[in-house]
Amino acid sequence: MGHSRISPSSADRWMACAASVPWSADVPRSSNVASATGTLIHRIAEFGLRGEGDLSSWLNECERVDGFDITVGDKHLEIAQTYVDYINNRHKDVGGELHIEKRVAASEIHPECAGTADAILVSSDAVVICDLKTGRWGVDVADNAQLKIYALGALEMFGTEDHKTVETVIVQPTSWHRDGPVRSHVYDIGNLVDWGFDTLRPAALACFEPDPEPVAGNHCRFCPAKPHCPFHIGDKV
């Protein structure tokens, strides 16, 4: 399955600027050493969660990720281990099933509103979406559009009438945050679904209009269309 044009990970951008979607369509996807390192840490964490071996077996291994050669160090393993320990402990508490690197789609909102959640815990009365962040800047969990979309997709796939709330969790050992390295937010499912149809769906549909209007803002920072956006042509890189 191809990369979604309105992926949850870029929701803050396309919900604010519908034009960023068609303007980015033909821009080659690029990476940098920071994002490649994040991908590697996710790979190590998945290895641990699936019980494929001890994380220490990765130490000093050189991995080629997105065009970069990265040697696994103690810090990478520490980040992955923090996440693995949290997920395993929550799984013991919540019970039920653990879904690792699970693709979910909020198809009732839009067929392209889909992405891969790092981990989803599902029991008879709980749905918990967990996301590992490895960036330097602290990411808020409350009202996080990416995680709310994952939550809608998880509920569409696993939700039952016994589920009244859904919890989203960010594990981010790499950055200071006032709420700590692990932070969570609980949503009433009815309110979340209302947000999905009243706010998310119109924003998603606008991305596929013939000539959406560009909107500048903080969301422009990592936009692939920035080099040829009229708001940013001439900006220094």
Side-chain angles (χ1 to χ4, degrees):
M1 184 178 292
H3 184 73
S4 171
R5 287 175 289 178
I6 50 170
S7 66
S9 60
S10 59
D12 283 341
R13 183 177 73 239
W14 58 257
M15 289 184 71
C17 177
S20 68
V21 173
W23 290 6
S24 300
D26 296 325
V27 178
R29 297 185 67 193
S30 61
S31 183
N32 55 51
V33 69
S35 67
T37 300
T39 298
L40 176 58
I41 294 171
H42 276 78
R43 188 181 298 172
I44 296 169
E46 181 181 358
F47 171 87
L49 282 180
R50 294 192 186 279
E52 296 177 357
D54 193 279
L55 297 194
S56 62
S57 64
W58 287 76
L59 187 61
N60 296 325
E61 291 293 322
C62 184
E63 297 289 319
R64 185 77 172 172
V65 184
D66 296 338
F68 297 92
D69 291 320
I70 303 171
T71 299
V72 179
D74 290 324
K75 188 62 178 179
H76 303 135
L77 298 183
E78 180 184 336
I79 296 165
Q81 191 67 63
T82 298
Y83 173 74
V84 169
D85 289 346
Y86 175 80
I87 297 298
N88 285 336
N89 288 333
R90 280 306 304 271
H91 190 198
K92 291 177 183 177
D93 292 339
V94 172
E97 298 179 343
L98 168 61
H99 300 271
I100 304 166
E101 293 294 322
K102 185 67 175 180
R103 183 153 180 98
V104 293
S107 59
E108 294 184 6
I109 301 300
H110 192 281
E112 286 206 37
C113 204
T116 301
D118 291 341
I120 302 175
L121 296 165
V122 183
S123 70
S124 60
D125 59 355
V127 177
V128 184
I129 291 86
C130 303
D131 195 57
L132 171 62
K133 300 292 188 186
T134 61
R136 293 173 53 196
W137 304 104
V139 180
D140 291 329
V141 68
D143 202 30
N144 184 297
Q146 177 186 8
L147 296 187
K148 288 165 79 172
I149 295 171
Y150 287 156
L152 288 170
L155 290 170
E156 191 171 315
M157 182 173 287
F158 302 113
T160 71
E161 60 183 15
D162 293 326
H163 295 129
K164 308 302 180 186
T165 62
V166 59
E167 180 183 1
T168 59
V169 179
I170 285 177
V171 180
Q172 188 177 23
T174 56
S175 174
W176 180 90
H177 193 283
R178 63 186 178 279
D179 297 326
V182 179
R183 38 204 182 268
S184 66
H185 189 80
V186 176
Y187 296 96
D188 172 83
I189 288 177
N191 292 337
L192 182 65
V193 170
D194 287 344
W195 172 83
F197 283 100
D198 296 343
T199 301
L200 180 62
R201 189 168 189 272
L205 292 173
C207 295
F208 299 93
E209 290 293 324
D211 192 20
E213 190 74 20
V215 178
N218 291 335
H219 52 272
C220 297
R221 185 178 181 190
F222 299 113
C223 182
K226 195 173 181 179
H228 55 268
C229 172
F231 288 115
H232 297 285
I233 290 176
D235 285 0
K236 292 183 179 180
V237 179

